[in-house]
């Protein structure tokens, strides 16, 4: 499986890997054995991610939800609308929320077309139903004339809310 990354996320991962490789000793307050294992595991994780990465290549502008697309969904039970990037979560993701394709929401939406309804189960066992409203390649979102809401939900009445979002349990 490949992982879609923004160029900025790719650069940050490369810098993190360089820093990990340049810092062979743990901090003074860390247990050396545990810190060393944790560091080696992170090095493997970052290397694997970089090896699988598709960087900044926009998928086709065909409206199909897939990694690298900015998706707008409507939560059917509440009417709230949320816009986010389907890709690899990055701590400094910039101007739009990011959900992993492997998250419950990402898995449910992958392959959907605008107007299609999908559902997924949240950790408490409830089923959430969403409708894909729009899907546009990440690189074209600013020029498409389509609004990006930066991961904040907008209710059907246009009011911005900070309600619980469909988080990404697979984020690191």
């Amino acid at each position: 499986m490949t992982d879609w990354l923004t160029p900025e996320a790719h650069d940050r991962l490369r810098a993190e890997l360089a820093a990990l490789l340049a810092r062979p000793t743990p901090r003074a307050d860390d247990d050396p054995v545990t810190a060393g294992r944790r560091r080696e595991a992170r090095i493997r994780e970052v290397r694997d991610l970089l090896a699988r990465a598709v960087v900044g290549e926009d998928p086709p502008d065909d409206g199909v939800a897939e990694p690298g697309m900015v998706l707008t969904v409507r939560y059917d039970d509440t009417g709230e609308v949320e816009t986010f990037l389907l890709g690899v979560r990055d701590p400094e993701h910039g101007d739009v929320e990011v959900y992993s394709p492997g998250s419950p929401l990402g898995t449910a939406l992958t392959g959907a077309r605008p107007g299609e309804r999908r559902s997924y189960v949240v950790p408490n066992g409830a089923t959430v139903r969403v409708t894909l409203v729009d899907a546009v390649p990440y690189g074209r979102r600013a020029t498409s004339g389509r609004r990006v809401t930066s991961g904040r939900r907008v209710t059907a009445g246009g009011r911005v809310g900070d309600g619980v979002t469909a988080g990404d349990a697979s984020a690191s």
Side-chain angles (χ1 to χ4, degrees):
M1 177 176 112
T2 59
D3 292 306
W4 195 93
L5 295 172
T6 64
E8 298 82 11
H10 184 259
D11 291 346
R12 280 189 286 278
L13 283 170
R14 289 182 55 198
E16 179 185 354
L17 180 60
L20 285 166
L21 293 171
R23 184 181 32 137
T25 57
R27 297 184 312 239
D29 59 337
D30 281 343
D31 169 46
V33 174
T34 303
R37 287 183 185 145
R38 201 171 35 242
R39 181 178 156 274
E40 289 302 317
R42 182 60 183 160
I43 288 170
R44 276 191 306 278
E45 180 182 23
V46 172
R47 281 183 171 157
D48 289 347
L49 184 56
L50 290 171
R52 293 188 315 262
V54 172
V55 182
E57 272 184 41
D58 279 340
D61 192 3
D62 56 7
V64 176
E66 62 183 294
M69 299 291 272
V70 174
L71 308 180
T72 300
V73 298
R74 181 180 55 255
Y75 293 87
D76 295 348
D77 292 344
T78 64
E80 293 179 347
V81 174
E82 182 176 25
T83 298
F84 57 90
L85 170 64
L86 191 61
V88 173
R89 185 176 289 269
D90 178 48
E92 299 176 32
H93 54 264
D95 66 340
V96 66
E97 186 65 47
V98 181
Y99 291 149
S100 164
S103 69
L105 179 58
T107 300
L109 288 171
T110 298
R113 295 183 177 279
E116 286 186 20
R117 298 174 84 184
R118 300 288 176 97
S119 62
Y120 63 101
V121 178
V122 293
N124 71 4
T127 298
V128 177
R129 289 171 186 75
V130 296
T131 300
L132 182 63
V133 175
D134 197 15
V136 60
Y138 177 80
R140 300 180 82 184
R141 76 196 191 290
T143 60
S144 70
R146 299 173 188 163
R147 186 175 71 158
V148 174
T149 61
S150 302
R152 298 184 73 192
R153 291 186 179 183
V154 180
T155 64
R159 183 174 48 87
V160 175
D162 292 323
V164 176
T165 62
D168 181 355
S170 66
S172 48

Short mmCIF file of all heavy atoms in Angstrom, two decimals, residues 88-153:
data_model
loop_
_atom_site.label_atom_id
_atom_site.label_comp_id
_atom_site.label_asym_id
_atom_site.label_seq_id
_atom_site.Cartn_x
_atom_site.Cartn_y
_atom_site.Cartn_z
N VAL A 88 -1.87 10.87 4.77
CA VAL A 88 -1.12 10.52 5.97
C VAL A 88 -1.14 11.72 6.91
O VAL A 88 -0.80 12.84 6.51
CB VAL A 88 0.32 10.11 5.63
CG1 VAL A 88 1.14 9.92 6.90
CG2 VAL A 88 0.31 8.83 4.82
N ARG A 89 -1.53 11.47 8.14
CA ARG A 89 -1.59 12.53 9.14
C ARG A 89 -0.19 13.01 9.46
O ARG A 89 0.74 12.23 9.59
CB ARG A 89 -2.25 12.01 10.42
CG ARG A 89 -2.45 13.08 11.45
CD ARG A 89 -3.19 12.56 12.65
NE ARG A 89 -4.57 12.31 12.36
CZ ARG A 89 -5.55 13.20 12.51
NH1 ARG A 89 -5.26 14.39 12.95
NH2 ARG A 89 -6.78 12.89 12.24
N ASP A 90 -0.07 14.32 9.57
CA ASP A 90 1.20 14.96 9.87
C ASP A 90 0.95 15.92 11.01
O ASP A 90 -0.06 16.62 11.02
CB ASP A 90 1.68 15.72 8.62
CG ASP A 90 2.98 16.45 8.83
OD1 ASP A 90 3.93 15.86 9.38
OD2 ASP A 90 3.05 17.63 8.44
N PRO A 91 1.84 15.97 12.02
CA PRO A 91 1.59 16.85 13.15
C PRO A 91 1.38 18.31 12.75
O PRO A 91 0.69 19.04 13.43
CB PRO A 91 2.84 16.71 14.02
CG PRO A 91 3.52 15.48 13.56
CD PRO A 91 3.07 15.23 12.16
N GLU A 92 2.00 18.73 11.66
CA GLU A 92 1.84 20.11 11.19
C GLU A 92 1.17 20.07 9.83
O GLU A 92 1.77 20.38 8.82
CB GLU A 92 3.21 20.78 11.12
CG GLU A 92 3.89 20.85 12.46
CD GLU A 92 5.28 21.43 12.36
OE1 GLU A 92 5.51 22.29 11.50
OE2 GLU A 92 6.13 21.03 13.15
N HIS A 93 -0.09 19.67 9.82
CA HIS A 93 -0.79 19.42 8.56
C HIS A 93 -1.23 20.66 7.83
O HIS A 93 -1.74 20.57 6.73
CB HIS A 93 -1.98 18.48 8.78
CG HIS A 93 -2.91 18.96 9.84
ND1 HIS A 93 -2.83 18.52 11.13
CD2 HIS A 93 -3.93 19.83 9.79
CE1 HIS A 93 -3.77 19.11 11.85
NE2 HIS A 93 -4.45 19.90 11.07
N GLY A 94 -1.04 21.82 8.39
CA GLY A 94 -1.34 23.04 7.66
C GLY A 94 -2.79 23.45 7.74
O GLY A 94 -3.39 23.43 8.79
N ASP A 95 -3.35 23.80 6.59
CA ASP A 95 -4.64 24.47 6.54
C ASP A 95 -5.84 23.54 6.47
O ASP A 95 -6.97 24.01 6.38
CB ASP A 95 -4.67 25.44 5.35
CG ASP A 95 -4.59 24.72 4.01
OD1 ASP A 95 -4.14 23.56 3.97
OD2 ASP A 95 -4.99 25.33 3.01
N VAL A 96 -5.65 22.24 6.51
CA VAL A 96 -6.78 21.34 6.41
C VAL A 96 -6.54 20.12 7.29
O VAL A 96 -5.40 19.64 7.42
CB VAL A 96 -7.04 20.94 4.93
CG1 VAL A 96 -5.91 20.12 4.35
CG2 VAL A 96 -8.37 20.23 4.76
N GLU A 97 -7.57 19.64 7.94
CA GLU A 97 -7.49 18.43 8.77
C GLU A 97 -7.14 17.25 7.87
O GLU A 97 -7.47 17.25 6.69
CB GLU A 97 -8.84 18.19 9.47
CG GLU A 97 -8.83 17.06 10.45
CD GLU A 97 -7.91 17.32 11.64
OE1 GLU A 97 -7.98 18.41 12.23
OE2 GLU A 97 -7.13 16.41 11.96
N VAL A 98 -6.47 16.24 8.43
CA VAL A 98 -6.07 15.07 7.66
C VAL A 98 -6.58 13.81 8.35
O VAL A 98 -6.40 13.65 9.55
CB VAL A 98 -4.53 14.97 7.53
CG1 VAL A 98 -4.12 13.76 6.71
CG2 VAL A 98 -3.95 16.24 6.93
N TYR A 99 -7.23 12.94 7.59
CA TYR A 99 -7.65 11.64 8.07
C TYR A 99 -6.97 10.57 7.24
O TYR A 99 -6.86 10.69 6.02
CB TYR A 99 -9.17 11.45 7.98
CG TYR A 99 -9.96 12.32 8.93
CD1 TYR A 99 -11.22 12.77 8.58
CD2 TYR A 99 -9.47 12.71 10.17
CE1 TYR A 99 -11.96 13.56 9.44
CE2 TYR A 99 -10.20 13.50 11.03
CZ TYR A 99 -11.44 13.92 10.66
OH TYR A 99 -12.18 14.71 11.51
N SER A 100 -6.55 9.54 7.88
CA SER A 100 -5.88 8.42 7.21
C SER A 100 -6.89 7.59 6.41
O SER A 100 -8.01 7.38 6.85
CB SER A 100 -5.23 7.54 8.28
OG SER A 100 -4.88 6.29 7.75
N PRO A 101 -6.45 7.07 5.26
CA PRO A 101 -7.31 6.15 4.52
C PRO A 101 -7.62 4.89 5.33
O PRO A 101 -8.63 4.23 5.09
CB PRO A 101 -6.50 5.79 3.27
CG PRO A 101 -5.52 6.90 3.13
CD PRO A 101 -5.23 7.37 4.52
N GLY A 102 -6.78 4.58 6.32
CA GLY A 102 -7.01 3.41 7.17
C GLY A 102 -7.90 3.67 8.37
O GLY A 102 -8.25 2.74 9.09
N SER A 103 -8.29 4.92 8.59
CA SER A 103 -9.21 5.24 9.69
C SER A 103 -10.60 4.71 9.34
O SER A 103 -10.89 4.45 8.17
CB SER A 103 -9.26 6.75 9.91
OG SER A 103 -9.91 7.38 8.81
N PRO A 104 -11.47 4.57 10.32
CA PRO A 104 -12.83 4.11 10.00
C PRO A 104 -13.53 4.99 8.95
O PRO A 104 -14.13 4.47 8.00
CB PRO A 104 -13.56 4.16 11.34
CG PRO A 104 -12.45 3.97 12.35
CD PRO A 104 -11.27 4.68 11.76
N LEU A 105 -13.41 6.31 9.09
CA LEU A 105 -14.03 7.22 8.12
C LEU A 105 -13.35 7.10 6.76
O LEU A 105 -14.01 7.03 5.72
CB LEU A 105 -13.97 8.66 8.63
CG LEU A 105 -14.55 9.74 7.71
CD1 LEU A 105 -16.01 9.47 7.39
CD2 LEU A 105 -14.38 11.11 8.35
N GLY A 106 -12.01 7.07 6.74
CA GLY A 106 -11.28 6.95 5.48
C GLY A 106 -11.59 5.65 4.76
O GLY A 106 -11.78 5.64 3.54
N THR A 107 -11.66 4.56 5.50
CA THR A 107 -11.98 3.27 4.90
C THR A 107 -13.38 3.29 4.29
O THR A 107 -13.60 2.79 3.18
CB THR A 107 -11.88 2.15 5.96
OG1 THR A 107 -10.54 2.12 6.46
CG2 THR A 107 -12.22 0.79 5.38
N ALA A 108 -14.33 3.87 5.02
CA ALA A 108 -15.71 3.92 4.52
C ALA A 108 -15.82 4.75 3.25
O ALA A 108 -16.58 4.41 2.34
CB ALA A 108 -16.63 4.48 5.61
N LEU A 109 -15.07 5.85 3.17
CA LEU A 109 -15.23 6.77 2.04
C LEU A 109 -14.40 6.42 0.81
O LEU A 109 -14.75 6.84 -0.29
CB LEU A 109 -14.88 8.19 2.48
CG LEU A 109 -15.90 8.85 3.39
CD1 LEU A 109 -15.35 10.16 3.94
CD2 LEU A 109 -17.20 9.07 2.67
N THR A 110 -13.33 5.66 0.97
CA THR A 110 -12.48 5.34 -0.17
C THR A 110 -13.30 4.68 -1.27
O THR A 110 -13.99 3.70 -1.04
CB THR A 110 -11.29 4.46 0.25
OG1 THR A 110 -10.50 5.19 1.20
CG2 THR A 110 -10.42 4.09 -0.93
N GLY A 111 -13.23 5.27 -2.46
CA GLY A 111 -13.97 4.76 -3.61
C GLY A 111 -15.34 5.38 -3.81
O GLY A 111 -15.98 5.16 -4.84
N ALA A 112 -15.79 6.19 -2.84
CA ALA A 112 -17.11 6.82 -2.95
C ALA A 112 -17.09 7.94 -3.98
O ALA A 112 -16.05 8.56 -4.24
CB ALA A 112 -17.56 7.37 -1.60
N ARG A 113 -18.24 8.22 -4.54
CA ARG A 113 -18.44 9.35 -5.46
C ARG A 113 -19.42 10.33 -4.81
O ARG A 113 -20.21 9.94 -3.96
CB ARG A 113 -19.02 8.85 -6.78
CG ARG A 113 -18.07 7.95 -7.54
CD ARG A 113 -18.67 7.54 -8.90
NE ARG A 113 -17.73 6.75 -9.65
CZ ARG A 113 -16.73 7.23 -10.37
NH1 ARG A 113 -16.55 8.53 -10.44
NH2 ARG A 113 -15.92 6.44 -11.03
N PRO A 114 -19.38 11.59 -5.22
CA PRO A 114 -20.31 12.57 -4.64
C PRO A 114 -21.75 12.07 -4.70
O PRO A 114 -22.20 11.51 -5.71
CB PRO A 114 -20.11 13.81 -5.51
CG PRO A 114 -18.67 13.71 -5.94
CD PRO A 114 -18.47 12.22 -6.20
N GLY A 115 -22.43 12.25 -3.57
CA GLY A 115 -23.82 11.81 -3.45
C GLY A 115 -23.96 10.44 -2.83
O GLY A 115 -25.05 10.07 -2.37
N GLU A 116 -22.88 9.66 -2.78
CA GLU A 116 -22.95 8.32 -2.19
C GLU A 116 -22.94 8.41 -0.68
O GLU A 116 -22.18 9.18 -0.10
CB GLU A 116 -21.80 7.44 -2.66
CG GLU A 116 -21.95 6.98 -4.09
CD GLU A 116 -20.87 5.97 -4.49
OE1 GLU A 116 -20.24 5.34 -3.62
OE2 GLU A 116 -20.66 5.83 -5.71
N ARG A 117 -23.78 7.57 -0.05
CA ARG A 117 -23.84 7.48 1.40
C ARG A 117 -23.02 6.29 1.85
O ARG A 117 -23.10 5.23 1.26
CB ARG A 117 -25.28 7.32 1.85
CG ARG A 117 -26.13 8.53 1.46
CD ARG A 117 -27.56 8.29 1.79
NE ARG A 117 -27.73 8.63 3.19
CZ ARG A 117 -28.85 8.47 3.85
NH1 ARG A 117 -29.90 7.94 3.27
NH2 ARG A 117 -28.93 8.82 5.11
N ARG A 118 -22.27 6.49 2.90
CA ARG A 118 -21.44 5.43 3.49
C ARG A 118 -21.64 5.46 5.00
O ARG A 118 -22.09 6.46 5.56
CB ARG A 118 -19.96 5.62 3.16
CG ARG A 118 -19.63 5.62 1.66
CD ARG A 118 -19.74 4.23 1.06
NE ARG A 118 -19.52 4.18 -0.36
CZ ARG A 118 -18.37 3.86 -0.95
NH1 ARG A 118 -17.31 3.60 -0.22
NH2 ARG A 118 -18.29 3.82 -2.26
N SER A 119 -21.26 4.39 5.66
CA SER A 119 -21.34 4.35 7.12
C SER A 119 -20.10 3.69 7.68
O SER A 119 -19.41 2.94 6.99
CB SER A 119 -22.60 3.62 7.58
OG SER A 119 -22.59 2.28 7.14
N TYR A 120 -19.82 4.00 8.93
CA TYR A 120 -18.69 3.40 9.64
C TYR A 120 -19.03 3.35 11.12
O TYR A 120 -19.93 4.03 11.59
CB TYR A 120 -17.39 4.17 9.39
CG TYR A 120 -17.39 5.60 9.90
CD1 TYR A 120 -16.77 5.92 11.09
CD2 TYR A 120 -18.01 6.63 9.18
CE1 TYR A 120 -16.76 7.23 11.55
CE2 TYR A 120 -18.00 7.93 9.63
CZ TYR A 120 -17.37 8.22 10.83
OH TYR A 120 -17.37 9.50 11.28
N VAL A 121 -18.33 2.48 11.83
CA VAL A 121 -18.58 2.29 13.26
C VAL A 121 -17.49 3.03 14.04
O VAL A 121 -16.30 2.88 13.76
CB VAL A 121 -18.58 0.79 13.61
CG1 VAL A 121 -18.79 0.58 15.10
CG2 VAL A 121 -19.67 0.07 12.81
N VAL A 122 -17.92 3.81 15.04
CA VAL A 122 -16.99 4.53 15.90
C VAL A 122 -16.66 3.66 17.12
O VAL A 122 -17.34 2.65 17.36
CB VAL A 122 -17.56 5.91 16.32
CG1 VAL A 122 -17.66 6.83 15.12
CG2 VAL A 122 -18.90 5.77 16.99
N PRO A 123 -15.61 4.01 17.86
CA PRO A 123 -15.18 3.15 18.98
C PRO A 123 -16.27 2.78 19.99
O PRO A 123 -16.22 1.70 20.56
CB PRO A 123 -14.06 3.95 19.64
CG PRO A 123 -13.48 4.74 18.51
CD PRO A 123 -14.67 5.10 17.65
N ASN A 124 -17.26 3.64 20.20
CA ASN A 124 -18.30 3.30 21.17
C ASN A 124 -19.36 2.35 20.60
O ASN A 124 -20.32 2.02 21.26
CB ASN A 124 -18.96 4.56 21.73
CG ASN A 124 -19.84 5.28 20.72
OD1 ASN A 124 -20.04 4.82 19.59
ND2 ASN A 124 -20.36 6.43 21.12
N GLY A 125 -19.16 1.92 19.34
CA GLY A 125 -20.07 0.96 18.72
C GLY A 125 -21.18 1.57 17.89
O GLY A 125 -21.90 0.87 17.19
N ALA A 126 -21.33 2.90 17.94
CA ALA A 126 -22.38 3.56 17.17
C ALA A 126 -22.00 3.59 15.69
O ALA A 126 -20.82 3.64 15.33
CB ALA A 126 -22.57 5.00 17.67
N THR A 127 -23.01 3.56 14.85
CA THR A 127 -22.80 3.67 13.41
C THR A 127 -23.04 5.11 12.98
O THR A 127 -24.06 5.70 13.33
CB THR A 127 -23.74 2.72 12.64
OG1 THR A 127 -23.44 1.38 13.04
CG2 THR A 127 -23.58 2.86 11.14
N VAL A 128 -22.09 5.67 12.24
CA VAL A 128 -22.19 7.03 11.74
C VAL A 128 -22.39 6.95 10.24
O VAL A 128 -21.67 6.24 9.55
CB VAL A 128 -20.92 7.85 12.07
CG1 VAL A 128 -21.00 9.25 11.49
CG2 VAL A 128 -20.71 7.90 13.58
N ARG A 129 -23.38 7.69 9.73
CA ARG A 129 -23.65 7.72 8.30
C ARG A 129 -23.23 9.07 7.73
O ARG A 129 -23.55 10.11 8.31
CB ARG A 129 -25.13 7.46 8.05
CG ARG A 129 -25.53 6.04 8.33
CD ARG A 129 -27.04 5.82 8.29
NE ARG A 129 -27.41 4.49 8.70
CZ ARG A 129 -27.40 4.05 9.95
NH1 ARG A 129 -27.04 4.84 10.92
NH2 ARG A 129 -27.73 2.81 10.24
N VAL A 130 -22.50 9.01 6.61
CA VAL A 130 -22.02 10.22 5.96
C VAL A 130 -22.33 10.15 4.47
O VAL A 130 -22.45 9.06 3.90
CB VAL A 130 -20.50 10.43 6.14
CG1 VAL A 130 -20.14 10.63 7.59
CG2 VAL A 130 -19.71 9.30 5.54
N THR A 131 -22.46 11.32 3.87
CA THR A 131 -22.63 11.43 2.42
C THR A 131 -21.46 12.22 1.89
O THR A 131 -21.13 13.29 2.42
CB THR A 131 -23.95 12.15 2.08
OG1 THR A 131 -25.04 11.39 2.62
CG2 THR A 131 -24.13 12.29 0.57
N LEU A 132 -20.82 11.69 0.84
CA LEU A 132 -19.73 12.44 0.20
C LEU A 132 -20.35 13.56 -0.62
O LEU A 132 -21.17 13.32 -1.50
CB LEU A 132 -18.89 11.52 -0.69
CG LEU A 132 -17.70 12.21 -1.37
CD1 LEU A 132 -16.69 12.72 -0.35
CD2 LEU A 132 -17.03 11.26 -2.36
N VAL A 133 -19.97 14.79 -0.31
CA VAL A 133 -20.48 15.96 -1.01
C VAL A 133 -19.57 16.33 -2.17
O VAL A 133 -20.04 16.65 -3.26
CB VAL A 133 -20.62 17.15 -0.03
CG1 VAL A 133 -21.04 18.42 -0.76
CG2 VAL A 133 -21.61 16.81 1.09
N ASP A 134 -18.25 16.27 -1.94
CA ASP A 134 -17.30 16.70 -2.95
C ASP A 134 -15.96 16.02 -2.71
O ASP A 134 -15.62 15.68 -1.57
CB ASP A 134 -17.12 18.22 -2.89
CG ASP A 134 -16.49 18.83 -4.13
OD1 ASP A 134 -16.44 18.14 -5.17
OD2 ASP A 134 -16.06 19.99 -4.05
N ALA A 135 -15.20 15.82 -3.78
CA ALA A 135 -13.84 15.29 -3.69
C ALA A 135 -13.01 15.98 -4.76
O ALA A 135 -13.32 15.92 -5.94
CB ALA A 135 -13.84 13.77 -3.92
N VAL A 136 -11.96 16.68 -4.33
CA VAL A 136 -11.10 17.44 -5.25
C VAL A 136 -9.64 17.15 -4.90
O VAL A 136 -9.30 17.04 -3.72
CB VAL A 136 -11.44 18.95 -5.18
CG1 VAL A 136 -11.22 19.51 -3.81
CG2 VAL A 136 -10.67 19.73 -6.21
N PRO A 137 -8.76 17.00 -5.88
CA PRO A 137 -7.35 16.77 -5.57
C PRO A 137 -6.77 17.87 -4.69
O PRO A 137 -7.08 19.04 -4.87
CB PRO A 137 -6.68 16.76 -6.96
CG PRO A 137 -7.77 16.37 -7.90
CD PRO A 137 -9.01 17.00 -7.33
N TYR A 138 -5.92 17.46 -3.75
CA TYR A 138 -5.32 18.39 -2.80
C TYR A 138 -4.68 19.60 -3.49
O TYR A 138 -4.89 20.74 -3.09
CB TYR A 138 -4.28 17.66 -1.95
CG TYR A 138 -3.55 18.54 -0.98
CD1 TYR A 138 -4.14 18.90 0.23
CD2 TYR A 138 -2.27 19.01 -1.24
CE1 TYR A 138 -3.47 19.70 1.14
CE2 TYR A 138 -1.59 19.82 -0.34
CZ TYR A 138 -2.20 20.16 0.85
OH TYR A 138 -1.54 20.97 1.74
N GLY A 139 -3.91 19.37 -4.54
CA GLY A 139 -3.21 20.45 -5.22
C GLY A 139 -4.11 21.40 -5.98
O GLY A 139 -3.71 22.50 -6.32
N ARG A 140 -5.34 21.00 -6.22
CA ARG A 140 -6.25 21.85 -6.99
C ARG A 140 -7.32 22.50 -6.11
O ARG A 140 -8.14 23.25 -6.62
CB ARG A 140 -6.93 21.00 -8.07
CG ARG A 140 -5.88 20.40 -9.01
CD ARG A 140 -6.50 19.60 -10.06
NE ARG A 140 -6.96 20.52 -11.10
CZ ARG A 140 -7.63 20.14 -12.15
NH1 ARG A 140 -7.95 18.89 -12.31
NH2 ARG A 140 -8.00 21.02 -13.05
N ARG A 141 -7.29 22.24 -4.82
CA ARG A 141 -8.36 22.73 -3.94
C ARG A 141 -8.42 24.24 -3.89
O ARG A 141 -9.48 24.81 -3.81
CB ARG A 141 -8.24 22.15 -2.54
CG ARG A 141 -7.16 22.78 -1.72
CD ARG A 141 -6.80 21.97 -0.51
NE ARG A 141 -5.95 22.69 0.39
CZ ARG A 141 -4.70 23.01 0.16
NH1 ARG A 141 -4.13 22.69 -0.97
NH2 ARG A 141 -3.99 23.66 1.06
N ALA A 142 -7.28 24.92 -3.96
CA ALA A 142 -7.27 26.38 -3.86
C ALA A 142 -7.79 27.04 -5.14
O ALA A 142 -8.34 28.12 -5.08
CB ALA A 142 -5.86 26.87 -3.57
N THR A 143 -7.64 26.36 -6.26
CA THR A 143 -8.05 26.96 -7.53
C THR A 143 -9.39 26.44 -8.03
O THR A 143 -9.88 26.88 -9.04
CB THR A 143 -7.00 26.69 -8.61
OG1 THR A 143 -6.87 25.27 -8.77
CG2 THR A 143 -5.66 27.29 -8.25
N SER A 144 -9.97 25.52 -7.29
CA SER A 144 -11.20 24.90 -7.77
C SER A 144 -12.44 25.72 -7.50
O SER A 144 -13.49 25.44 -8.05
CB SER A 144 -11.37 23.52 -7.11
OG SER A 144 -11.67 23.68 -5.74
N GLY A 145 -12.32 26.71 -6.62
CA GLY A 145 -13.50 27.48 -6.24
C GLY A 145 -14.33 26.76 -5.19
O GLY A 145 -15.34 27.24 -4.74
N ARG A 146 -13.89 25.60 -4.78
CA ARG A 146 -14.59 24.84 -3.74
C ARG A 146 -14.05 25.26 -2.39
O ARG A 146 -12.87 25.45 -2.22
CB ARG A 146 -14.38 23.35 -3.97
CG ARG A 146 -14.93 22.90 -5.30
CD ARG A 146 -14.55 21.47 -5.58
NE ARG A 146 -14.92 21.12 -6.94
CZ ARG A 146 -14.45 20.08 -7.58
NH1 ARG A 146 -13.61 19.27 -7.00
NH2 ARG A 146 -14.83 19.83 -8.80
N ARG A 147 -14.93 25.38 -1.42
CA ARG A 147 -14.56 25.88 -0.11
C ARG A 147 -13.92 24.79 0.75
O ARG A 147 -14.41 23.68 0.81
CB ARG A 147 -15.81 26.40 0.59
CG ARG A 147 -15.53 27.08 1.90
CD ARG A 147 -16.77 27.65 2.44
NE ARG A 147 -17.65 26.59 2.88
CZ ARG A 147 -18.61 26.75 3.76
NH1 ARG A 147 -18.85 27.93 4.25
NH2 ARG A 147 -19.36 25.74 4.12
N VAL A 148 -12.84 25.13 1.41
CA VAL A 148 -12.21 24.24 2.38
C VAL A 148 -12.48 24.82 3.76
O VAL A 148 -12.21 25.98 4.01
CB VAL A 148 -10.69 24.13 2.13
CG1 VAL A 148 -10.02 23.32 3.21
CG2 VAL A 148 -10.43 23.51 0.76
N THR A 149 -13.00 24.00 4.66
CA THR A 149 -13.37 24.48 5.98
C THR A 149 -12.35 24.13 7.05
O THR A 149 -12.64 24.23 8.22
CB THR A 149 -14.75 23.94 6.41
OG1 THR A 149 -14.66 22.51 6.46
CG2 THR A 149 -15.83 24.39 5.47
N SER A 150 -11.18 23.70 6.65
CA SER A 150 -10.08 23.42 7.58
C SER A 150 -10.45 22.46 8.67
O SER A 150 -10.03 22.61 9.81
CB SER A 150 -9.56 24.73 8.19
OG SER A 150 -9.15 25.59 7.19
N GLY A 151 -11.25 21.46 8.35
CA GLY A 151 -11.56 20.43 9.30
C GLY A 151 -12.60 20.81 10.33
O GLY A 151 -12.95 20.00 11.16
N ARG A 152 -13.09 22.02 10.31
CA ARG A 152 -14.14 22.42 11.25
C ARG A 152 -15.48 22.14 10.61
O ARG A 152 -15.66 22.30 9.43
CB ARG A 152 -14.00 23.90 11.59
CG ARG A 152 -12.67 24.19 12.28
CD ARG A 152 -12.58 25.60 12.68
NE ARG A 152 -13.46 25.79 13.81
CZ ARG A 152 -13.80 26.98 14.27
NH1 ARG A 152 -13.34 28.04 13.70
NH2 ARG A 152 -14.59 27.10 15.29
N ARG A 153 -16.40 21.74 11.41
CA ARG A 153 -17.71 21.41 10.89
C ARG A 153 -18.56 22.66 10.75
O ARG A 153 -18.49 23.56 11.57
CB ARG A 153 -18.42 20.44 11.82
CG ARG A 153 -17.79 19.08 11.80
CD ARG A 153 -18.63 18.17 12.63
NE ARG A 153 -18.04 16.85 12.61
CZ ARG A 153 -18.59 15.83 13.20
NH1 ARG A 153 -19.71 15.96 13.85
NH2 ARG A 153 -18.03 14.66 13.15
#
